[in-house]
Amino acid sequence: MAEKRRAGVAIMSDSKSAKAAGDEQLLSQAGVSALLRGALLRLLESRPQDPVGFLAEHFAHLSSEAEDGASERRSVSRALWHLSLAHHSHRSAFNNNVRVAYELLTQSVPRRLGAGGVRGRLYSEMLRCLCSEGGLSGSTAAPLLRRIQSHDYESVPFELFRQGVLTCAVFADYIRKSQCLYAAVASAPDRPAERTLCQAVLSTLREALEAAGGADVARYLEASAKISPAKVAQAMAEVQPRAQQQDGPTMDAQEFEDAAAALFIARVRTVT
């Protein structure tokens, strides 16, 4: 009988330990432990006269922030959908969709924070998503985003918003064009192109961008699109004899893309 009692106690003890471990794991996975720890640290730092009221306000603030974040994500998603409805070359429809996207993001600003435009953080996040959906890698888009994104606390007016959206859309098309130019230079898809040939094509691209000028970034895309196969062939022919005389250095697709991107980004005005 005594052995049975001891066995029963051991089983109950193991069961309680397993339950406690399970409860602890649940709290950890849900982030509750970190949440409570943070609240208690704030309480100890502030040492308010009403600790319970302080904690209630603290958790209410966290809940409000979570709701705002979910609302912002929905607004960004809806704005991106509207922007995808028309290509930037269809300027009238594109501008209308940009206006709708801007109003959606403006409405997502909580009233307690006031109005006055789209918050810089939302604007920058939307530009990042636009570049990603346009097929740009993070490394290719990053230099452009550093030029045109806003500080989190800033309020972005419509015209700046429109110009940023247009720049990202045009840049994505421009990079696809540069990838086609590299494919025309490379002798085989699985081999890097001769550096001298790439530099000749990049020089032709630079001249086209410089000739475009103007404040409308779409003109840079138009300029790059006007680089005909004949121009590429001419640029390659001028350096082909030198490239064939020796096995010179090569340039891979990513390096060419980065160089082409730098030519475009250098002509984009920095947001200050």
Side-chain angles (χ1 to χ4, degrees):
M1 291 293 292
E3 290 180 358
K4 288 183 179 181
R5 283 196 298 271
R6 283 196 295 271
V9 170
I11 292 173
M12 290 177 62
S13 177
D14 291 342
S15 177
K16 289 181 179 179
S17 298
K19 184 177 183 304
D23 292 344
E24 184 177 349
Q25 184 178 9
L26 175 64
L27 293 174
S28 178
Q29 290 177 345
V32 175
S33 298
L35 193 67
L36 292 175
R37 190 181 305 111
L40 292 175
L41 287 174
R42 286 289 184 88
L43 180 67
L44 293 174
E45 290 173 358
S46 302
R47 298 185 180 277
Q49 293 182 350
D50 180 10
V52 175
F54 175 86
L55 289 175
E57 289 184 4
H58 175 76
F59 287 120
H61 176 70
L62 291 180
S63 176
S64 177
E65 283 188 338
E67 291 176 1
D68 291 345
S71 175
E72 289 177 355
R73 286 191 293 274
R74 287 193 296 269
S75 296
V76 169
S77 178
R78 291 174 63 195
L80 289 169
W81 181 79
H82 280 283
L83 292 174
S84 70
L85 295 179
H87 189 263
H88 63 81
S89 59
H90 305 297
R91 192 57 63 89
S92 179
F94 179 78
N95 285 339
N96 288 337
N97 291 338
V98 171
R99 171 64 71 177
V100 172
Y102 182 80
E103 291 175 355
L104 280 170
L105 295 177
T106 302
Q107 292 168 6
S108 72
V109 178
R111 290 186 178 181
R112 65 177 184 278
L113 297 179
V118 173
R119 277 190 289 180
R121 179 169 55 81
L122 272 182
Y123 169 68
S124 299
E125 174 63 16
M126 199 197 63
L127 294 184
R128 187 191 64 77
C129 291
L130 270 176
C131 288
S132 177
E133 292 190 358
L136 298 175
S137 66
S139 60
T140 299
L144 175 68
L145 294 176
R146 282 195 292 269
R147 276 185 173 263
I148 63 176
Q149 66 189 6
S150 296
H151 295 292
D152 290 356
Y153 56 84
E154 290 180 325
S155 179
V156 179
F158 173 73
E159 187 51 39
L160 179 61
F161 179 89
R162 188 194 70 82
Q163 189 65 20
V165 170
L166 178 62
T167 299
C168 288
V170 170
F171 184 62
D173 281 354
Y174 169 86
I175 290 298
R176 282 190 285 272
K177 174 63 179 177
S178 72
Q179 292 168 346
C180 292
L181 289 175
Y182 182 83
V185 174
S187 58
D190 57 342
R191 292 176 56 189
E194 292 287 341
R195 179 171 290 274
T196 51
L197 298 180
C198 291
Q199 290 173 337
V201 174
L202 288 170
S203 179
T204 302
L205 181 58
R206 181 186 297 106
E207 291 171 3
L209 294 177
E210 289 174 350
D216 189 348
V217 293
R219 295 185 64 180
Y220 298 136
L221 178 61
E222 293 169 3
S224 66
K226 289 178 181 177
I227 300 178
S228 64
K231 276 194 172 184
V232 174
Q234 181 183 355
M236 293 172 62
E238 291 175 356
V239 297
Q240 192 77 45
R242 285 175 288 167
Q244 289 178 341
Q245 288 174 3
Q246 55 182 357
D247 293 331
T250 59
M251 181 183 293
D252 63 25
Q254 186 60 54
E255 185 181 357
F256 183 90
E257 181 178 313
D258 291 343
L263 293 176
F264 182 100
I265 294 170
R267 290 160 175 79
V268 176
R269 288 184 298 176
T270 305
V271 174
T272 56

